Amino acid sequence: MPASDQRTTRATTCHAGARVNALSIDVEDWYHDESRGAGPATAAEIAAGGARVERNLERLLALLDAAATHATFFFLAGVAREHPRLARAVAAAGHEIACHGLRHVPVALRSRADVRDDVRRARAILEDVTGARVIGFRAPCFVRDVRHLWLLDELAEAGFAYDSSWLPLRYAPGAAPRIGGTRGPTRLANGLWEFPMPVSRLAGHELPIAAGGFALRALPLAFVTRQIRRFNAEVGPAVVYTHPWEIDPESPKLPGTRGYVRFFNGVGRRSMAQKLARLVRELSFAPLAEVYAAQLAAPPALAAADLSAARSPR
Ligand SMILES: [Zn+2]
C-alpha cells in the first residue's frame, strides 16, 4: 500500500540529550555536478580534470581512522564500480556502505520509473562490489520538494530500510514541511525510516543547521558545534554530511559553471580537512545505521507515519 494512502499515526523517537551524531560522506567525484545546468560532464571534460575521488577519499579515511570514528559512505554506485578497491577498503575499515544512486541526477529531473530502476541497480552493484548489505539511501542533491516524496515508497519497495535525503526547508516564516511532523526520525507506513537533514529555527525561518556543504565549510567550527549541540538538546542526533571534493581545493569545476556556484562550492575547501578532523574530535560520530540502530530494529507496528503531514501544509 502506498504510504500516501495511509492515515497518519505519527510517531517520533525522542533522543533529547543524545551525544552521538551521524556522520555521512556522499561519495562522488568533482564532475558529478548538476550545478552548471548544462547536462552531465562529457568524457573529454572528465579526462581534462582526471579522477580525484580516490585520493580525496583516502584522505578522509585516514582522517577518520586517526579519530577512531566511523561514518556512513553513501556511494554513487558508478564510483564503486569504477573504483572497487576503494569501496572495499571503506567497507573493510568498518564504515557503513550506503547508496547515493547510480547516476548523479536529482529526483526532480527524473521519472519515477527511471528512479525505480536506478536505485535497484545501484543497490545491487554496491552489494556486489563490497559484499556489504546496503540498507540506506541518500538522493543526489537531497530531496526538498514534497512533490518528490514518492521516492520514499520506491526505496521501501526496493528493499531499503532508511532514507536520509529529506531537507525540510521553507524559506518563509512558519513551519517547514516535516514528515510525520517532526525534525527527527520518522517511520513511514511503508516501513522505511526517514532520518532527515537537521534544521533549526532562526529569525522565524527553518534553516539547515551548519552540518554540511557550504555552511560547514564557511562558518567557524565553534558556531557549527554549537548548532549541533543545540539540535542534540532539542531533537536528538544530527545528520552531518560532506563530500570527498570538499577537502580538495585543487578540484576543478565543469566548464560553464556560473561564478556564484564556483564561489559557494569553493569556499573553505583549503581548511576543510583540518576542520573535519577537529569536528570529529570535539563531537562523537557514528554511521547512521549505528546511531539509529534502535529505530531500525523496531517492529513496524510501533511507529508509522505517512507523507500527507508533509504534503498538506504546502
Ligand atoms: Zn551527491
Side-chain angles (χ1 to χ4, degrees), residues 43-312:
E45 288 168 342
I46 295 169
R52 304 180 70 88
V53 68
E54 196 155 12
R55 77 192 80 167
N56 290 330
L57 202 57
E58 282 170 354
R59 282 183 70 200
L60 279 174
L61 287 172
L63 184 156
L64 295 177
D65 185 52
T69 296
H70 290 106
T72 297
F73 286 70
F74 289 99
F75 262 91
L76 206 57
V79 170
R81 196 168 50 188
E82 286 173 29
H83 304 278
R85 187 198 62 80
L86 183 66
R88 288 186 201 116
V90 172
H95 300 287
E96 180 188 3
I97 302 293
C99 183
H100 197 38
L102 180 55
R103 293 186 297 125
H104 200 270
V105 179
V107 171
L109 302 178
R110 312 174 75 156
S111 72
R112 188 161 176 165
D114 182 28
V115 169
R116 179 181 304 149
D117 178 61
D118 185 290
V119 301
R120 288 166 192 249
R121 287 171 61 198
R123 184 167 181 239
I125 289 168
L126 290 169
E127 292 192 336
D128 186 44
V129 169
T130 65
R133 183 167 169 254
V134 172
I135 63 168
F137 184 84
R138 172 166 297 145
C141 308
F142 301 102
V143 176
R144 306 152 194 260
D145 191 320
V146 291
R147 289 172 297 179
H148 304 134
L149 288 177
W150 48 259
L151 167 70
L152 305 182
D153 284 333
E154 291 299 336
L155 294 176
E157 286 175 24
F160 288 92
Y162 76 83
D163 171 74
S164 185
S165 304
W166 182 232
L167 186 58
L169 289 186
R170 248 190 135 180
Y171 294 108
R178 295 170 179 175
I179 299 174
T182 174
R183 286 188 286 161
T186 298
R187 189 166 213 173
L188 306 173
N190 62 24
L192 191 83
W193 277 96
E194 176 61 35
F195 305 132
M197 306 313 293
V199 294
S200 279
R201 182 169 290 275
L202 197 65
H205 298 263
E206 295 272 5
L207 297 172
I209 72 169
F214 167 75
L216 181 54
R217 278 181 278 117
L219 295 169
L221 184 64
F223 178 83
V224 172
T225 55
R226 197 160 56 240
Q227 291 296 310
I228 293 173
R229 286 194 171 104
R230 178 184 162 197
F231 189 85
N232 292 162
E234 291 178 356
V235 182
V239 179
V240 175
Y241 73 91
T242 190
H243 303 81
W245 52 262
E246 291 193 88
I247 62 165
D248 183 359
E250 312 304 329
S251 173
K253 291 295 288 181
L254 290 171
T257 304
R258 291 180 185 165
Y260 78 91
V261 175
R262 290 175 186 269
F263 170 76
F264 281 109
N265 278 186
V267 165
R269 286 197 199 184
R270 208 161 288 283
S271 56
M272 184 59 171
Q274 191 183 26
K275 183 183 271 185
L276 283 173
R278 288 172 56 203
L279 179 64
V280 297
R281 281 200 301 269
E282 289 190 22
L283 299 176
S284 290
F285 290 95
L288 276 85
E290 192 174 310
V291 170
Y292 298 113
Q295 283 87 348
L296 291 166
L302 287 182
D306 77 59
L307 307 177
S308 60
R311 288 174 179 144
S312 58

